[in-house]
Amino acid sequence: MRLSNAYFRTLRETPAEAEISSHILLMRAGMIRKLASGIYGFLPLGWRSIRKIEQIIREEMDAKGGQEILMSAVQPAELWQESGRWYGYGPELWRVKDRNGRDFCLGPTHEEIFTDIVRNDVNSYRQLPLNLYQIQTKYRDEARPRFGLLRTREFIMKDSYSFDKDAEGLEKSYTDMYDAYSRIFTRCGLDFRPVEADNGAIGGSKSHEFTALSAVGESEIAYCESCDMAATSERAACVDDATSNEAMYETEKVYTPGTKTIEDVAAYLGLDTKQTIKALLFVVHDETGEDKYVAAFIRGDRELNMTKLVNALGIPEHAIEFADEEAMSEATGCVGGFTGPIGLHDCKIVVDSELVGMKNLCAGACEVDHHIKNVNYGRDYKGDIVCDIKLIKEGYPCPVCGAPVKFARGIEVGQVFKLGTKYSESMGAYYKDENMQNHPIVMGCYGIGVSRTMAAVVEQYHDGNGIIWPMSVAPYHVIITLVSTEDETQVRVAEDLYEGLLAAGVEVILDDRQERPGVKFKDADLLGIPVRITVGRGASNGIVEYKMRRDAEKTEMKADDALQAAIAVVNAEKRG
Ligand code: ATP
Ligand code: MG
């Protein structure tokens, strides 16, 4: 490509709302453009990188027997009503009506659509297993679109779905996809970690998230250096403290004026926060629009894990919010800042498992300015649900081996799920076995955020001057910087190199613009093309300057040597 007639414009200034490097650099390098909040378009160079990532994905999916199809992004509401997700998916589902008032959505994911296709076409065990995938634009009306391509409302996703006869078949499909994902992200150059994850709105029984390590990522992962435990912090089990074998004392109501927080009451009574019970009050709006109250109790020094709470309640995350204390107080007897498990009524009580083994704790008395001391589980209160609802923190014991856990941040670039029969049962996708017996098809689903992956690569590969693309996903492999378009010798050497590289199948940009050299060098660094060959004054002696974007040093060499060096490094690295 000749830059002189390319559709390409770099920006000197950092776009005002861009906070993170990938957003700033992809915008400045003229690779993406914003249309509306969380909605971006791709310009030629950015689109080439997207297509490289897609190509890597296609190769690895096909290698595992995947077959590519393309389903519509517009999905009829009826299918989502069948699976129960028309309600369950919540406000992120981008709902639209046609001119006759019929409900549709713009697909955020395609479990329903793939299940529908397969239930109509597959009826015999002979047709299984199957693995279908597509690369397609997805829509999610995110509450807070942010960080450029990392959290958008429209994005490109590869989604695949496996269909098996039984759990054993699913195990193999899941392992195949897990391996394919590891290869895909390795080929994209990412430093990533597969970690155990929550199933979230997709459902099913088992899941792993592929997390590209990055300080700006929104995923928090807990991992252990003594064993191989690694999980998202929302998923990781948080170990209960050892059971206390203290004797139970009589409960005692105490006057604790103005002590609305755990810290206040602990200080006032001279207790450790570990000797207190913290209350968190919620309202759940169910499908019929009815409100129900929930009180969750954890030890005073712990933090609530919202994902574990909604899983315990069996509700979608969008259905729960902090309660309005006045309204809840009237209905349940709770008292803002002084709520404890004794004296509450008409609300569901969820108790963290750890509290069961603790003795003589201090809790709110459900009375203004009062607490109760020596509260004990079983004797004084009970939970409707008792399970682990606390958030793991750095340094807490590993749930597998007990060593202190470490924390890291990252960007979720992909996720794999064992769905089991959730969709095939609710939507009636059955096959007949050898004896003509019906069985639900056993499913898995697997997603990669293609546009998010591109941003994750830039987060891991950049410096103060711009992007440093890994060869496998770079929009072009080589850029030839022609210093003076007026100098005939320079032009001839640059053109020869350009032709030579093209002939060798190298993707090359010739910067033949009538710009100052400084501008060309700055742009070459910003674009991050892996190899730069500069043709300047040395051209009169057949000498050019050769430089890898990732290295500091430049080497002067004969033009032909530069040509051979470039071809060699491109061929060695382009597959990733
Ligand atoms: P997140 O937790 O970040 O909201 P998710 O778990 O809801 O993501 P999945 O349903 O697993 O996402 O979707 C598969 C992949 O699609 C994700 O791993 C991610 O790479 C990508 N993805 C999801 N939401 C977005 C988004 N809003 N913008 C860009 N990519 C996204
Ligand atoms: Mg996910």
Side-chain angles (χ1 to χ4, degrees):
M1 183 194 63
R2 292 169 189 277
L3 223 41
S4 57
N5 53 22
Y7 181 56
F8 157 82
R9 189 169 73 94
T10 53
L11 309 177
R12 293 280 158 265
E13 302 298 324
T14 296
E17 83 281 7
E19 297 160 310
I20 62 166
S21 305
S22 60
H23 190 192
I24 295 169
L25 294 174
L26 288 167
M27 290 284 289
R28 281 193 50 215
M31 298 194 181
I32 62 170
R33 287 291 181 256
K34 179 174 161 181
L35 186 61
S37 168
I39 303 191
Y40 287 83
F42 298 88
L43 299 187
L45 293 176
W47 189 239
R48 285 180 71 99
S49 275
I50 289 285
R51 285 177 42 201
K52 294 266 175 95
I53 296 169
E54 291 182 353
Q55 185 54 29
I56 291 174
I57 293 172
R58 285 198 170 92
E59 288 171 16
E60 298 300 335
M61 286 295 117
D62 293 351
K64 295 291 185 190
Q67 300 175 64
E68 186 170 0
I69 62 174
L70 182 62
M71 293 288 105
S72 170
V74 182
Q75 309 184 357
E78 288 76 17
L79 290 179
W80 286 72
Q81 280 149 357
E82 266 189 69
S83 72
R85 288 206 299 180
W86 186 253
Y87 164 76
Y89 211 92
E92 253 182 46
L93 191 62
W94 202 315
R95 292 157 216 256
V96 290
K97 283 189 193 294
D98 72 6
R99 64 169 74 198
N100 300 314
R102 281 189 56 194
D103 285 316
F104 290 84
C105 68
L106 304 179
T109 174
H110 274 63
E111 284 75 18
E112 283 79 358
I113 311 320
F114 278 65
T115 308
D116 180 56
I117 282 282
V118 165
R119 73 177 165 184
N120 291 321
D121 289 328
V122 171
N123 49 42
S124 160
Y125 69 95
R126 290 201 189 87
Q127 294 165 284
L128 300 173
L130 259 182
N131 183 317
L132 302 174
Y133 74 95
Q134 63 177 349
I135 298 179
Q136 197 218 30
T137 304
K138 295 282 190 273
Y139 296 87
R140 293 185 185 181
D141 198 0
E142 296 274 356
R144 289 203 304 129
R146 56 193 178 277
F147 303 141
L149 296 185
L150 288 187
R151 187 166 299 284
T152 52
R153 298 196 291 168
E154 181 188 80
F155 57 96
I156 304 169
M157 196 205 282
K158 185 288 301 180
D159 46 328
S160 26
Y161 305 85
S162 63
F163 302 88
D164 280 283
K165 284 185 289 193
D166 48 28
E168 204 184 322
L170 172 59
E171 183 61 38
K172 168 153 188 346
S173 297
Y174 188 86
T175 309
D176 274 355
M177 288 298 102
Y178 185 103
D179 293 346
Y181 276 37
S182 299
R183 288 183 53 84
I184 288 164
F185 296 124
T186 302
R187 287 183 61 188
C188 289
L190 286 174
D191 178 14
F192 68 94
R193 245 192 133 111
V195 301
E196 223 186 284
D198 188 68
N199 286 59
I202 305 283
S205 61
K206 181 178 178 183
S207 179
H208 284 88
E209 220 177 81
F210 287 75
T211 308
L213 300 177
S214 161
V216 304
E218 294 183 277
S219 285
E220 196 171 46
I221 61 182
Y223 65 97
C224 179
E225 283 178 337
S226 305
C227 72
D228 59 5
M229 191 289 295
T232 61
S233 61
E234 60 184 20
R235 170 73 184 184
C238 182
V239 181
D240 292 350
D241 230 351
T243 305
S244 148
N245 45 25
E246 223 176 273
M248 287 192 220
Y249 301 121
E250 282 304 300
T251 55
E252 182 190 344
K253 194 196 285 183
V254 285
Y255 181 53
T256 54
T259 56
K260 284 199 155 199
T261 66
I262 288 292
E263 288 69 31
D264 290 346
V265 71
Y268 186 82
L269 295 174
L271 299 172
D272 193 300
T273 53
K274 288 186 177 174
Q275 294 165 283
T276 66
I277 298 178
K278 178 151 70 185
L280 295 120
L281 307 175
F282 299 95
V283 59
V284 174
H285 315 289
D286 78 5
E287 214 163 335
T288 62
E290 207 186 311
D291 285 353
K292 294 205 175 79
Y293 291 107
V294 171
F297 294 99
I298 52 177
R299 209 172 67 181
D301 60 313
R302 303 288 199 181
E303 213 175 290
L304 181 74
N305 180 327
M306 206 55 197
T307 303
K308 289 180 184 171
L309 180 66
V310 299
N311 286 347
L313 291 166
I315 56 166
E317 192 150 357
H318 67 82
I320 189 167
E321 61 179 346
F322 281 110
D324 170 71
E325 280 185 358
E326 231 166 90
M328 182 160 174
S329 167
E330 229 164 82
T332 69
C334 72
V335 173
F338 297 94
T339 301
I342 305 174
L344 272 186
H345 51 83
D346 296 307
C347 86
K348 191 166 255 182
I349 294 183
V350 186
V351 174
D352 182 56
S353 47
E354 179 173 66
L355 293 180
V356 174
M358 303 283 121
K359 296 277 166 57
N360 305 321
L361 302 180
C362 173
C366 290
E367 189 180 325
V368 177
D369 289 343
H370 286 81
H371 280 82
I372 301 179
K373 281 167 73 169
N374 304 329
V375 173
N376 289 290
Y377 187 85
R379 183 191 70 179
D380 305 318
Y381 72 103
K382 284 211 172 81
D384 299 306
I385 301 174
V386 179
C387 63
D388 168 26
I389 51 167
K390 56 199 170 303
L391 193 63
I392 195 168
K393 296 271 178 72
E394 183 147 28
Y396 279 16
C398 165
V400 176
C401 76
V405 293
K406 300 241 172 193
F407 266 48
R409 294 198 76 81
I411 300 163
E412 178 198 326
V413 284
Q415 192 169 0
V416 293
F417 302 84
K418 279 193 179 176
L419 296 173
T421 55
K422 172 179 159 140
Y423 294 90
S424 46
E425 276 186 290
S426 61
M427 298 182 64
Y430 290 88
Y431 73 93
K432 286 193 183 347
D433 68 14
E434 294 86 335
N435 305 314
M436 299 304 280
Q437 297 293 310
N438 267 329
H439 301 277
I441 298 176
V442 182
M443 292 174 54
C445 76
Y446 318 91
I448 292 180
V450 176
S451 39
R452 188 185 276 185
T453 295
M454 172 159 104
V457 169
V458 177
E459 286 301 332
Q460 289 189 356
Y461 291 91
H462 70 270
D463 63 15
N465 299 322
I467 304 171
I468 310 173
W469 290 108
M471 193 70 80
S472 59
V473 295
Y476 285 88
H477 302 136
V478 177
I479 183 166
I480 302 169
T481 302
L482 170 57
V483 172
S484 167
T485 51
E486 311 287 302
D487 182 314
E488 269 176 36
T489 317
Q490 288 185 28
V491 171
R492 186 178 40 76
V493 171
E495 291 283 347
D496 284 353
L497 271 170
Y498 184 60
E499 294 304 328
L501 288 166
L502 284 179
V506 171
E507 299 168 17
V508 53
I509 299 176
L510 174 61
D511 189 352
D512 56 349
R513 294 174 298 167
Q514 291 183 340
E515 284 283 1
R516 283 178 290 115
V519 171
K520 294 187 177 187
F521 290 130
K522 273 214 163 64
D523 280 348
D525 278 351
L526 180 58
L527 294 186
I529 307 301
V531 182
R532 186 180 83 199
I533 303 176
T534 304
V535 182
R537 278 202 201 105
S540 53
N541 300 318
I543 300 292
V544 298
E545 184 190 276
Y546 180 92
K547 180 179 179 299
M548 295 296 291
R549 174 67 180 85
R550 62 180 178 235
D551 298 332
E553 59 282 5
K554 309 164 184 166
T555 317
E556 303 221 311
M557 54 178 88
K558 289 210 183 93
D560 195 50
D561 292 342
L563 177 74
Q564 298 311 327
I567 293 170
V569 72
V570 168
N571 285 337
E573 295 181 14
K574 72 179 175 190
R575 253 188 74 80

